[in-house]
DNA sequence: TTATTCGGTTAACACTGTTAACCATTTTAT
DNA sequence: ATAAAATGGTTAACAGTGTTAACCGAATAA
């Protein structure tokens, strides 16, 4: 019963193989049978672990979300100052999206975008404890708009990734945190 | 062979029915046979008009793109001042995304995001003819990030549409156009 | 008039998601 | 220890999918 450390459970194998399938074929051509094949199990076997193909995809989304949360936890551990933590969280989100291109579409397309949203909300409260909550929330939305938009532009390849552009994004985020 | 004004060609019918299919079933469950059925033609008939299912979807994307271009043309015709035109173009883009939810995902998901991009580029040149091109381009990216990000937040329902929030977005866009 | 293209049809192929029936093994209960 | 049940796999089948081939009639061009 206990998961041996070396080998992943079939459920985990399906999620990992499903991510690869998502990378290689996109969500419009996601084949559960192909995923099963690549795990060397029969086409019906996945149904012992997931109710449906959609349920597997949902599990993949959750897995991705947890990965992003892990990363953002690390950022929070390193940066104590709430403002720099906020900026670095956004940058980490952007880098995460670039490193995992299929993730962003997935995160954005179905209300799975919470990890960054929650952190921005909390950090904004720490940054501006006395600010009018409406104003504070609005600023949070602008910050997230910048992060989401930049991630989109960078991941789509329309905007080329560079240290310079990351610096520019940082500047714009910081500007929202001033005054 | 001349298209009669009243009835649409089969090709157009397929595009319109395809948009409905996209709305009802999403891109992951887009059925070309269902689209054909809803046009009262056989399952093979679409292949007389499109090379493949993907080609139809591509044509749908192009149609959506042209709709957005029409809207942005109207905005350009009304607002002569390049700065206000730029801001209103972004707002029009955001409204367009909200009014046509499936459009945004489509526009964003595959490099079809050009309509706004091109206009922002040109308008930025009009707004800041003497600015360093790199600086100018960077500002354009920030403006688009704000527009794309806001469209995403509004369309996903995470941020509720209101005149107030539109005003806030405008303010933030204008701020990028100052100094 | 003849040939050709245009736009439709039906039939078929390989593939997909999903379920049912079955089976061996492992876990749990009595 | 033995019986029961749950676990996790199998194969076979069904309906639905994208796609192609073969065919066909009408409009068009030679």
């Amino acid at each position: 019963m206990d998961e041996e450390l070396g080998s992943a459970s079939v459920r985990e194998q399906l999620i990992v193989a499903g991510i690869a399938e998502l990378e290689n074929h996109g969500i419009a051509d996601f084949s559960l049978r192909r995923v099963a094949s690549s795990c060397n199990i029969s086409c019906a076997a996945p149904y012992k672990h997931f109710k449906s193909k959609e349920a597997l995809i949902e599990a993949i989304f959750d897995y991705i979300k947890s990965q992003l949360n892990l990363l953002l936890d690390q950022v929070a551990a390193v940066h104590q100052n709430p403002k720099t933590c906020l900026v670095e969280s956004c940058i980490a989100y952007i880098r995460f999206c670039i490193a995992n291109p299929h993730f962003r579409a997935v995160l954005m397309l179905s209300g799975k975008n919470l990890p960054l949203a929650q952190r921005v909300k909390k950090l904004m409260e720490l940054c501006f404890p006395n600010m009018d909550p409406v104003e504070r929330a609005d600023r949070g939305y602008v910050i997230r708009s910048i992060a989401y938009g930049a991630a989109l532009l960078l991941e789509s390849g329309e905007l080329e990734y560079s240290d310079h552009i990351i610096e520019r994004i940082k500047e714009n985020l910081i500007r929202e945190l001033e005054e």
Side-chain angles (χ1 to χ4, degrees), chain A:
Chain A
M1 253 301 94
D2 39 343
E3 291 300 330
E4 319 160 33
L5 295 187
S7 68
S9 75
V10 173
R11 198 191 134 93
E12 284 165 352
Q13 274 183 264
L14 284 167
I15 290 177
V16 171
I19 290 173
E21 174 76 6
L22 220 47
E23 290 185 46
N24 297 331
H25 294 268
I27 196 162
D29 190 33
F30 185 102
S31 164
L32 185 54
R33 291 174 98 110
R34 214 153 37 201
V35 171
S37 270
S38 83
C39 293
N40 292 112
I41 57 178
S42 75
C43 67
Y47 290 88
K48 302 295 173 178
H49 301 273
F50 301 98
K51 186 167 76 359
S52 67
K53 165 183 158 174
E54 290 307 313
L56 169 58
I57 293 177
E58 196 68 22
I60 291 172
F61 291 0
D62 288 345
Y63 174 79
I64 290 168
K65 216 174 67 176
S66 75
Q67 293 275 101
L68 177 55
N69 267 319
L70 246 58
L71 180 64
L72 293 175
D73 282 344
Q74 288 176 10
V75 171
V78 171
H79 298 93
Q80 306 294 347
N81 179 299
K83 289 191 182 181
T84 64
C85 182
L86 214 170
V87 171
E88 294 302 326
S89 294
C90 289
I91 299 296
Y93 172 85
I94 292 169
R95 290 218 173 93
F96 183 82
C97 289
I98 296 169
N100 310 281
H102 50 294
F103 285 18
R104 188 199 51 81
V106 147
L107 287 167
M108 289 195 167
L109 248 67
S110 46
K112 291 283 173 190
N113 226 334
L114 293 175
L116 186 63
Q118 289 169 338
R119 284 162 211 265
V120 168
K121 184 151 184 280
K122 281 187 186 166
L123 287 166
M124 282 301 285
E125 287 166 9
L126 289 175
C127 290
F128 304 106
N130 300 322
M131 186 181 274
D132 166 42
V134 174
E135 164 79 9
R136 195 168 55 199
D138 284 347
R139 289 207 189 195
Y141 287 127
V142 173
I143 286 172
R144 286 169 57 203
S145 289
I146 293 173
Y148 296 156
L152 173 73
L153 287 169
L154 285 164
E155 187 241 314
S156 75
E158 211 182 330
L159 180 52
E160 197 178 357
Y161 179 90
S162 70
D163 291 344
H164 163 255
I165 206 68
I166 291 292
E167 278 312 309
R168 286 298 310 221
I169 295 168
K170 275 192 194 179
E171 283 170 26
N172 280 286
L173 290 170
I174 290 167
R175 199 193 305 171
E176 296 295 324
L177 293 175
E178 277 168 3
E179 157 205 6

